[in-house]
């Protein structure tokens, strides 16, 4: 049980990749605190799946772009389990459009959830992890943050920004036993990509050397590696989990 006695906070754990990450960590014995934006039923379903694996789970409603709500999330996790060993910044949104049609509001909303949200969560757990002299932070970036994508100026900026924050915080915390890494998924089958038109999905599939879309579990296993002791000497890295898209 590689996460026995550890507590993990996973943002956006109600669905998709975040849910798979919760189950990966729970299967290793971690207590899992997951947050969600509004989908209470899905969040409680993830908690039940975590508990079915013999781990403890707790769902907290929290908009990661609000500092007050993030602080409350961290307090709830510490009250429930006493410490936070692992933070997975997974919550994310898209509001795609070509730049001529992208509103300022669409830009700000994506930056707020994807970039500021990760910043607030890392800030909120850093003090705890420094005191413990132990921590694992894994941030969800994207192939789009590495390569860009037409129609996703806001999303690409947020995901490239996540990589910059990952490397900067990795340098700040490295000497205290805290690692900070990013995972950059390619095209993964979740609600986020189900919303795309069939033409965009098949075009994306054609650009994947491995010839298939990824699963949430493909990404969760990489997150589990970076969150575990096997990756103790790995920090400031971006691990692409994309079937070869971004090489
Ligand atoms: P998803 O299926 O759309 O799920 C998004 C999750 O984030 C949900 O749990 C949602 O909560 C939560 N969320 C959204 N906004 C939030 C906020 N402001 N505060 C707290 N939670 C919030 O997404 P996904 O496809 O699993 O993606 C997960 C992460 O991987 C994202 O960061 C995404 O950018 C990244 N990623 C995805 C892909 C892909 O192909 N799917 C590729 C590269 C990177 P509710 O359920 O309550 O709405």
């Amino acid at each position: 049980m590689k996460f026995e006695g550890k507590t993990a906070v996973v943002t956006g754990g109600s669905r998709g990749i975040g849910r798979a990450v919760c189950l990966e960590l729970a299967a290793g014995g971690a207590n899992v605190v997951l947050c969600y934006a509004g989908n209470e039923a899905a969040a409680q379903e993830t908690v039940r799946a975590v508990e079915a694996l013999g781990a403890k789970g707790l769902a907290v409603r929290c908009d990661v772009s609000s500092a007050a709500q993030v602080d409350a999330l961290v307090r709830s996790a510490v009250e429930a389990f006493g410490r936070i060993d692992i933070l997975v910044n997974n919550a994310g949104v898209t509001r795609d459009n070509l730049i001529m049609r992208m509103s300022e509001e669409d830009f700000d909303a994506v930056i707020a959830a994807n970039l500021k949200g990760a910043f607030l969560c890392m800030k909120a757990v850093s003090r705890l992890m420094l005191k413990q002299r132990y921590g694992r932070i894994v941030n969800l970036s994207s192939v789009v943050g590495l390569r860009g994508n037409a129609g996703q100026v806001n999303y690409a900026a947020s995901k490239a920004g996540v990589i910059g924050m990952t490397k900067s915080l990795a340098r700040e915390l490295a000497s205290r036993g805290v690692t900070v890494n990013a995972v950059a998924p390619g095209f993964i089958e979740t609600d986020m990509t189900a919303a795309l038109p069939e033409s965009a999905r098949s075009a994306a599939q054609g650009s994947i050397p491995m010839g298939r879309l990824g699963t949430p579990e493909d990404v969760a296993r990489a997150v589990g590696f970076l969150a575990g002791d096997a990756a103790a000497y790995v920090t400031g890295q971006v691990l692409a989990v994309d079937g070869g898209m971004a090489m």
Side-chain angles (χ1 to χ4, degrees), residues 25-61:
L25 299 176
N31 306 314
V32 178
V33 179
L34 62 107
C35 90
Y36 62 101
N39 199 333
E40 166 82 30
Q44 291 305 340
E45 206 282 315
T46 303
V47 169
R48 281 194 293 278
V50 161
E51 289 172 348
L53 291 166
K56 291 187 179 135
L58 174 68
V60 178
R61 186 174 182 151

Side-chain angles (χ1 to χ4, degrees), residues 11-19 35-40 42-43 61-66 69 89-94 109 112-114 140-144 155 158-159 183-193 214 216 219:
T11 68
S14 45
R15 293 184 284 124
I17 294 169
R19 181 180 193 277
C35 90
Y36 62 101
N39 199 333
E40 166 82 30
R61 186 174 182 151
C62 166
D63 176 355
V64 292
S65 65
S66 155
Q69 291 185 38
N89 279 311
N90 164 84
V93 295
T94 51
N114 299 6
L140 270 289
S141 178
S142 167
V143 64
V144 171
Y155 185 76
S158 72
K159 294 299 183 180
V183 169
F187 202 112
I188 311 299
E189 296 261 27
T190 68
D191 294 345
M192 187 177 271
T193 46
V219 181

